[in-house]
Amino acid sequence: MNAIRFLPSDGLPALLSCLVKTGRRILAPVEKPAVKSSVVFEPWSEGKPLTLQKATVPAKEAVLPQCETLLSYRQTKNADTAALNLDDTPNAQPTVVFGARPCDACGYAVLDRPFLQGPFVDPYYRARREQLVVFTTTCGSGCATCFCHWLGGGPSSPEGSDVLMTEIEGGLVLQSVTDKGAELLNSMPPAAKLADGAPVFRQAEEARKKAWASLLPAPDIKSARQAIAGIFSDANFWQEQTDRCLSCGACTYFCPTCYCFNITDEGDGYEGGQGGRRLRSWDNCMSSQFTREASGHNPRTDKALRMRNRVSHKYSFYPENWGAASCSGCGRCVCNCPVYLDIRAIVLAAIKHAGDK
Ligand code: SF4
Ligand code: SF4
């Protein structure tokens, strides 16, 4: 099944309005000029201005909320009986992420592997992922911090997307890349202002070609997995790469592919009854408390060991398990690091260092 549509420039609100009427929550990029010119995904409603700029923060929360309740419990007791009621229903809402970039959509593909394709399927992730439709804006050009093409992606890569949207003169060309995307496009009523996109599809292809041509040549990083594994025990290397890191964790919070989490149990206390909940929250491997054990022992006492873990996970352990890097090359960790640490430089240095040994 395939669908190609054209949306005139003034048609975005009409399309979004029709998508809202399908009962879905629409997460769209919204400008927040007061906060360092950030662009963040927020629920869209009629009349809300949106932008198709690349978001500062990816819409990872659509599948992995920063904090979620996995289950809640309540104990009821009287003189004769006692019962424990558990509610572990996944909290999922049909959602359209509208205006992701290919590197963000690739992030969903990275998360799908451990959450859906391993020996244990995560029911909470699955419930949200199944109800998610991703509309991705293809990029018009590369930028200094993007490096998706180092990792097999690109400005119009379809991985993780359901619909690709490409800007051409006078509007957007929307192309389905999955059945889910095609079904949604085909179900749109005339009020969505979508016209047949076949006559202008050539223009979208030209725009995509131009974007690919704007990318700087990518270095060959095929040996990164073995190189990083080979220098795992080289403490000096990791120390040098990490010296100026502040352990602030920005690199992980902005990342579309980081998925470490922590689980905590929280009781209501005795006064309010005997109940509580189990929460899952994002964790951050750059934090000094990451992997701290209940005894107080922490196997990663030093920030260099934590950086080694972060880089190794993305470029060595994950590829070993899943055959691809757990980095989409979005560059958000590069442009949001307060001390300009660049994961690209660390990977290239690792390849060189392993070759020099
Ligand atoms: S590691 Fe950096 S470049 Fe790679 S996906 Fe995460 S934020 Fe983007
Ligand atoms: S954003 Fe930069 S300074 Fe902060 S933890 Fe990551 S690498 Fe270190």
Side-chain angles (χ1 to χ4, degrees):
M1 198 187 285
N2 195 13
I4 298 176
R5 299 284 181 273
F6 175 70
L7 181 73
S9 302
D10 62 357
L12 261 186
L15 173 61
L16 291 172
S17 188
C18 289
L19 288 171
V20 167
K21 285 183 187 133
T22 65
R24 291 171 170 86
R25 168 180 67 147
I26 311 298
L27 294 178
V30 174
E31 280 188 83
K32 295 280 174 190
V35 193
K36 242 184 91 187
S37 308
S38 302
V39 173
V40 298
F41 281 89
E42 283 188 351
W44 184 86
S45 55
E46 201 76 51
K48 186 166 181 167
L50 77 151
T51 172
L52 289 182
Q53 287 176 59
K54 180 177 173 182
T56 317
V57 189
K60 186 168 66 180
E61 294 229 26
V63 288
L64 198 61
Q66 195 154 0
C67 183
E68 67 174 313
T69 301
L70 297 181
L71 65 85
S72 55
Y73 63 91
R74 179 144 299 277
Q75 190 176 34
T76 47
K77 242 188 201 171
N78 58 37
D80 307 318
T81 57
L84 185 67
N85 297 310
L86 281 182
D87 180 4
D88 61 356
T89 318
N91 179 11
Q93 192 181 357
T95 298
V96 170
V97 167
F98 193 91
R101 291 302 177 115
C103 51
D104 302 338
C106 170
Y108 298 127
V110 168
L111 301 178
D112 285 349
R113 296 183 190 109
F115 284 100
L116 300 179
Q117 294 162 21
F120 304 104
V121 171
D122 185 298
Y124 306 93
Y125 181 91
R126 180 177 59 190
R128 285 186 290 266
R129 188 67 174 101
E130 283 176 353
Q131 300 201 57
L132 178 68
V133 188
V134 183
F135 280 60
T136 298
T137 313
T138 63
C139 299
S141 66
C143 76
T145 50
C146 301
F147 58 106
C148 52
H149 60 308
W150 291 27
L151 295 147
S156 53
S157 169
E159 192 181 20
S161 299
D162 297 296
V163 174
L164 287 182
M165 308 191 288
T166 300
E167 203 166 357
I168 62 166
E169 203 182 330
L172 284 171
V173 173
L174 284 76
Q175 177 196 14
S176 67
V177 290
T178 63
D179 287 350
K180 212 196 253 184
E183 274 162 29
L184 190 52
L185 285 183
N186 287 333
S187 71
M188 285 293 102
K193 291 198 175 176
L194 290 172
D196 180 12
V200 288
F201 189 62
R202 171 64 68 90
Q203 288 179 53
E205 287 182 312
E206 289 303 321
R208 292 177 190 177
K209 263 192 217 155
K210 240 191 203 167
W212 280 89
S214 75
L215 303 175
L216 293 172
D220 182 355
I221 59 164
K222 281 200 280 296
S223 60
R225 182 168 77 77
Q226 291 91 334
I228 290 167
I231 57 165
F232 187 81
S233 305
D234 190 332
N236 287 340
F237 174 82
W238 295 107
Q239 190 60 54
E240 274 165 27
Q241 299 302 323
T242 316
D243 266 350
R244 62 181 198 271
C245 172
L246 307 172
S247 300
C248 68
C251 47
T252 65
Y253 285 119
F254 284 96
C255 179
T257 62
C258 279
Y259 57 86
C260 288
F261 58 78
N262 206 353
I263 290 185
T264 42
D265 290 336
E266 192 177 86
D268 286 339
Y270 292 108
E271 282 175 20
Q274 289 172 335
R277 60 206 64 76
R278 172 161 290 176
L279 303 168
R280 168 159 69 183
S281 326
W282 290 359
D283 206 344
N284 157 26
C285 66
M286 302 304 281
S287 152
S288 59
Q289 294 184 6
F290 186 73
T291 62
R292 191 181 66 180
E293 296 165 10
S295 65
H297 171 67
N298 191 337
R300 299 195 187 102
T301 44
D302 188 72
K303 63 182 179 178
L305 299 181
R306 299 192 285 273
M307 178 68 86
R308 178 181 74 177
N309 176 64
R310 174 168 167 258
V311 175
S312 298
H313 180 238
K314 292 191 174 298
Y315 283 87
S316 185
F317 311 148
Y318 183 104
E320 198 177 320
N321 289 325
W322 301 107
S326 66
C327 169
S328 66
C330 74
R332 287 191 178 91
C333 59
V334 180
C335 55
N336 288 298
C337 175
V339 293
Y340 309 109
L341 260 170
D342 189 330
I343 195 166
R344 294 173 296 188
I346 299 177
V347 171
L348 292 177
I351 293 172
K352 180 167 183 317
H353 192 62
D356 289 348
K357 282 186 117 188

